[in-house]
Amino acid sequence: MPFEGIPLAALDFYEDLEADNSKAFWQAHREVYEDRVKAPMKALADELAPKFGEYKLFRPYRDVRFSKDKTPYKTHQGIWFGETSRYLHVSGAGLFLAAGYWSTSPAQVARLRRGVDDDIAGPLLRKAVDGVRRRGYEIGGEQLTRVPSGFDKEHERADLLRHKTLVASRELQAPDWLTTPQARPEIAKRWRAMGPVVDWLETHVGRD
């Protein structure tokens, strides 16, 4: 099916699920999830895939085996484009977009720190991060409270050295175009704006 937009009914579904995260609610509203959440999100992903690569549409069920929170269902529908490190989800709060490295191995963390410290690669990351921020995106990720050992505590890029993962993101809520086919190019445009951070990570950190 062609992508026609993400209906506001998808946001309403997740608002209601947050209020009643139960099997009874899910069974009574499963058709809403299938028709108003899963179907349009899959159609969106199919149309983004030629540009951003293969994707994973996350299952709606939470893994509660090792969690104190035993609510059975996720309160958002996420899609992960692993080849290009892009992510989006829809929840009761609306649309969320992100790009970057959410999970890193020790070897990747070491390469990230070396890149930040490098006299050439480091300033390039600073330029990329500052540029993405100026466009209205947040820079986040897992961080240490202090500069890691082996690096100058007064390093000019100390804030970046503390990162173990690095992600650009933005909460978009429910813009007018969300419910229309225009959502696809609008999402792609914003992912491209986050691209300098992803490009730096791909070049200087890479995959394991």
Side-chain angles (χ1 to χ4, degrees):
M1 61 174 281
F3 175 67
E4 298 179 350
I6 299 170
L8 293 180
L11 282 60
D12 293 340
F13 170 81
Y14 281 114
E15 282 189 352
D16 293 341
L17 182 61
E18 288 177 10
D20 183 8
N21 196 321
S22 68
K23 185 175 182 180
F25 174 88
W26 185 266
Q27 289 179 333
H29 296 83
R30 185 177 187 110
E31 186 174 336
V32 177
Y33 169 75
E34 294 289 343
D35 294 344
R36 311 302 282 171
V37 178
K38 185 177 179 180
M41 290 289 277
K42 185 178 186 305
L44 171 62
D46 287 341
E47 294 191 11
L48 288 167
K51 176 66 176 178
F52 296 99
E54 294 184 6
Y55 66 87
K56 176 180 179 180
L57 184 75
F58 288 102
R59 286 162 48 88
Y61 312 105
R62 295 184 63 250
D63 184 352
V64 300
R65 291 173 297 173
F66 308 107
S67 174
K68 292 181 180 179
D69 179 1
K70 298 301 182 183
T71 51
Y73 304 103
K74 297 174 183 175
T75 54
H76 61 271
Q77 176 62 65
I79 305 175
W80 167 240
F81 291 79
E83 294 179 26
T84 52
S85 299
R86 263 65 170 190
Y87 172 81
L88 67 86
H89 75 228
V90 167
S91 69
L95 179 65
F96 172 80
L97 300 178
Y101 282 17
W102 283 260
S103 177
T104 50
S105 68
Q108 287 176 301
V109 174
R111 293 196 294 270
L112 172 59
R113 291 171 180 166
R114 287 199 300 270
V116 172
D117 186 48
D118 185 83
D119 290 341
I120 296 176
L124 290 176
L125 179 58
R126 171 60 70 201
K127 181 179 179 181
V129 164
D130 290 350
V132 168
R133 280 193 175 122
R134 282 195 300 272
R135 293 183 178 93
Y137 301 93
E138 295 184 7
I139 298 295
E142 183 182 356
Q143 300 179 53
L144 302 175
T145 56
R146 298 183 179 87
V147 173
S149 61
F151 296 93
D152 182 359
K153 305 305 179 186
E154 304 301 322
H155 197 289
E156 61 182 324
R157 293 179 292 279
D159 59 320
L160 296 174
L161 279 171
R162 292 192 290 107
H163 277 268
K164 297 180 68 177
T165 64
L166 190 62
V167 178
S169 67
R170 187 171 181 180
E171 291 274 6
L172 293 170
Q173 299 180 330
D176 292 342
W177 46 257
L178 183 65
T179 59
T180 75
Q182 186 65 20
R184 181 194 56 76
E186 292 289 345
I187 289 168
K189 178 175 70 175
R190 285 159 177 79
W191 273 347
R192 287 194 297 271
M194 302 181 206
V197 170
V198 179
D199 293 344
W200 189 94
L201 289 168
E202 293 287 347
T203 300
H204 299 283
V205 178
R207 316 295 179 96
D208 278 348

